[in-house]
Structures are given as C-alpha cells and as structure tokens.
Amino acid sequence: MTDATSTDRLRPAVARGSRFATAKGAITIVVSTVVLFIVSAIVAPSSVSGGVIASMLPFAAVLAIAGLGQMLVVQQGGIDLSVPGAMSLAIVVVSHYPNGDDSRVLTAVLIAVAYAVAAGALNGLLVGWLGLNSIIATLGTNALLFGAVLGISNGIPRSTTRLLSDVAAGRTLGIPHAALFALAALLVVAVLTKKTVAGRRFTAIGANRLAARAVGLRVRSHHTLAFIWAQLLYCLAGILLAGITAQPTAFQGNAYLLPSVAVVVLGGTSLLGGRGFPVSTVIAALFLTQLDQFVLALGVPFAVQTLVQAAALAGGVALYTVNWAALRARFGSRPASGPAATPSSA
C-alpha cells in the first residue's frame, strides 16, 4: 500500500544531509555565476553588453528547460541520452508540418507532444520495466528519434512560421518569452517535486529504490513518468529553439546533450539519484551559457566550447562527489618524506 505514511518512512534517509547539499549547491552556483559576470565585465566587456545579454537569455532558457528534464531522470539514478533526438524531432515537426502556415502550428505542437509522450513511455518501458541500463536504452531511443527526424525532413532545414517565431523569440516588457517559458517550467517542476506527496515519493524512490519498493511505492511507474516528463520538457525546449532560430537545422538538438547533463551536475543534483535542485539547475544554465559567451568573446575557436562544457562538467562532478575534507586530512597529515636527520657530530 502506498500512502503518505510509507513515504514518510523514507524521508529521513532522503533528508539526511539534504539541507547542506541544497546550501552548498545553490551557494556555489550563485557565487560562480556572479564571479563569472564580474570577470566577463573586466576581461571581455563585449560579452556582457546589453545586446549580447539579450541574445543570450533565450538560449539560456532553452538549456534550462532541457536541463530540468535531464534532472528528473538523474533524480531516478539514470541519465537520458535521447535529448538530441527529442529536441531535433520537435524542431522538425513544428517547422516542416506547418510549412509556413500559421493555422497549422497548434496541430504541429500537438503532434510533437504526442511524439514526446511516446518516446518517454518507450524509455520508461526499457528502463523501468525491462531493467535496461538507462544509457543503453536512451541511446537506442535517440537513434529511433533521429530516424523519425530524417524521415520527416530528409535532413533539409525549413523556416518556422511567423507565429511560432513571434511566440518563441518575442518579448513582453523587455523579457524574452523563452525566459518566461523557462520560469513557468521551473515553477511546475519545483512545485511538483518539492511541495506534493507525489514529488516526495519521486525523490524517495531516486534516493533508495530498494527501500521505496519495500514500503510499497510504485518504482517502475515513477521511472516511466520521469522519462515522460523529461521528454515533454525537451519537446518544449525544441519548439522554443525552432522559433528562436527561425530556420533550424534537422540536427539542432545535438548541441544540448552535454550541456543538459552539465547544468544538472553544476546545480548540485547527484548523478546517483535522490533530491534534485531545479532553481540551481536553471542558474547553472545561465552560468554555462554566459561561459560560452565569455569564451567566444576572448576569440577562442567555437570548437573549444565543447571542451569548456566538458571541463565544467568535470569540475561539477569533482566539486560535489570528491570528499575534499578527507583528501586534505589524508595528505595534510602525511609526514614529510626525505632523508632522516642525522645527529650532530659536534
């Protein structure tokens, strides 16, 4: 029987150290972001000019939405490699199906959502019910999604409609619509995972699957729902990206696999599952996007961006998983090596 009481039995295990982790993750990413903007203003002022910030925010919002989806899967102890295919499929559906006709945009969005639900259910079936490793399962799903991308588009880019471009790339009171969508996604994810009984069950299952199953929680169903919600968020990110870029390629989502994992790690969510940090993940998306702008402003080749993102991911993993206190204690207490002191002959 699954009830709030059974969930409460798991809560102490979930909450153990969670307050410290929350403070550490949030403080670290906020301070890092502030320092990055200060350094950018000093070293490369062009990277923080009004025009650059205005053009950067929509892409940061897209990454934040994709990162929130990835965070839900990571909370269940998995990782989702189908992000590129999911975003690319949403992009080609909303850009090819309407074919310039605004009246067909809503239908195209509904088709994209249907694809997302099907892909999420497939991932949930493979991982939650058949017990496949999430890396292998989502990699296979990613290949299927790209097959659909090529089937729809033949790899040929097509311009989005004016309506979609106005909705995704427009502004209200100077605020990019994409940023508003990201805030709405953040609000939904934060409320559902932090303020509801279902969200506490979701977190408890990710923290300790065996204990959750022992108290009667529906582990497989929650895993499946995590993948479906993640796909819906990738779909939203892809639709916004199609409207922002106006003429997206059929493989536009390829650039979001590594960053979507990096922002989750930089936000403090453990790759082993458990509690997630939606706000920190969104701030990490802003940090990583600005880091890319800063690197480009320094004149570094575009290809180096991937190396920078990989370095950020490695730094995040090292920051949150390495027991630095133990390392300091171990190496700090090691006696100095070298030849033993000889007694004075005087």
Side-chain angles (χ1 to χ4, degrees), residues 73-78 205-209 269-275 321:
V73 177
V74 171
Q75 277 191 263
Q76 296 301 297
I205 291 172
N208 193 327
R209 186 182 309 178
T269 299
S270 171
L271 291 175
L272 299 178
R275 191 169 183 177
T321 59

Side-chain angles (χ1 to χ4, degrees), residues 1-343:
M1 179 179 180
T2 60
D3 52 21
T5 303
S6 61
T7 305
D8 291 341
R9 297 175 188 169
L10 295 173
R11 198 175 304 167
V14 176
R16 190 178 300 128
S18 60
R19 291 184 179 179
F20 173 75
T22 303
K24 181 181 178 182
I27 292 174
T28 300
I29 192 60
V30 168
V31 171
S32 299
T33 304
V34 171
V35 170
L36 175 61
F37 273 92
I38 293 175
V39 172
S40 299
I42 297 173
V43 179
S46 62
S47 66
V48 291
S49 64
V52 172
I53 294 294
S55 62
M56 177 268 285
L57 283 178
F59 292 99
V62 170
L63 177 56
I65 294 171
L68 288 173
Q70 187 70 265
M71 184 198 74
L72 295 176
V73 177
V74 171
Q75 277 191 263
Q76 296 301 297
I79 192 166
D80 196 342
L81 301 186
S82 64
V83 176
M87 291 183 63
S88 297
L89 181 56
I91 288 171
V92 298
V93 169
V94 298
S95 60
H96 281 71
Y97 181 79
N99 197 21
D101 185 354
D102 284 341
S103 65
R104 304 181 69 182
V105 170
L106 179 58
T107 304
V109 170
L110 294 177
I111 293 174
V113 170
Y115 274 121
V117 173
L122 177 60
N123 280 335
L125 173 66
L126 296 175
V127 178
W129 297 85
L130 300 182
L132 297 183
N133 182 282
S134 62
I135 294 177
I136 303 301
T138 57
L139 194 60
T141 302
N142 188 58
L144 290 177
L145 293 173
F146 269 116
V149 167
L150 292 174
I152 295 173
S153 67
N154 290 320
I156 302 172
R158 182 173 294 178
S159 299
T160 55
T161 67
R162 181 181 297 275
L163 174 61
L164 182 58
S165 182
D166 289 343
V167 171
R171 295 174 181 275
T172 298
L173 300 177
I175 304 174
H177 289 171
L180 297 177
F181 277 104
L183 290 176
L186 170 62
L187 183 63
V188 171
V189 171
V191 169
L192 289 180
T193 57
K194 304 292 185 184
K195 301 298 183 183
T196 65
V197 174
R200 290 196 291 272
R201 291 173 179 169
F202 183 82
T203 303
I205 291 172
N208 193 327
R209 186 182 309 178
L210 294 178
R213 185 175 288 114
V215 298
L217 297 185
R218 298 174 179 173
V219 176
R220 293 172 175 173
S221 299
H222 283 79
H223 279 183
T224 302
L225 288 175
F227 281 108
I228 292 176
W229 275 102
Q231 287 290 330
L232 290 174
L233 288 167
Y234 305 150
C235 178
L236 174 59
I239 293 171
L240 291 175
L241 188 59
I244 293 169
T245 55
Q247 190 173 11
T249 69
F251 307 98
Q252 198 86 35
N254 279 342
Y256 285 85
L257 176 56
L258 182 58
S260 70
V261 179
V263 297
V264 173
V265 174
L266 291 173
T269 299
S270 171
L271 291 175
L272 299 178
R275 191 169 183 177
F277 305 103
V279 175
S280 298
T281 299
V282 171
I283 297 174
L286 179 63
F287 169 84
L288 198 58
T289 309
Q290 174 57 29
L291 184 60
D292 288 342
Q293 294 289 339
F294 175 64
V295 171
L296 287 177
L298 292 179
V300 176
F302 182 79
V304 177
Q305 275 188 324
T306 303
L307 297 178
V308 173
Q309 293 166 356
L313 175 60
V317 171
L319 179 63
Y320 295 117
T321 59
V322 175
N323 189 340
W324 295 105
L327 283 179
R328 284 195 299 270
R330 179 178 180 182
F331 292 103
S333 61
R334 174 178 292 180
S337 60
T342 56

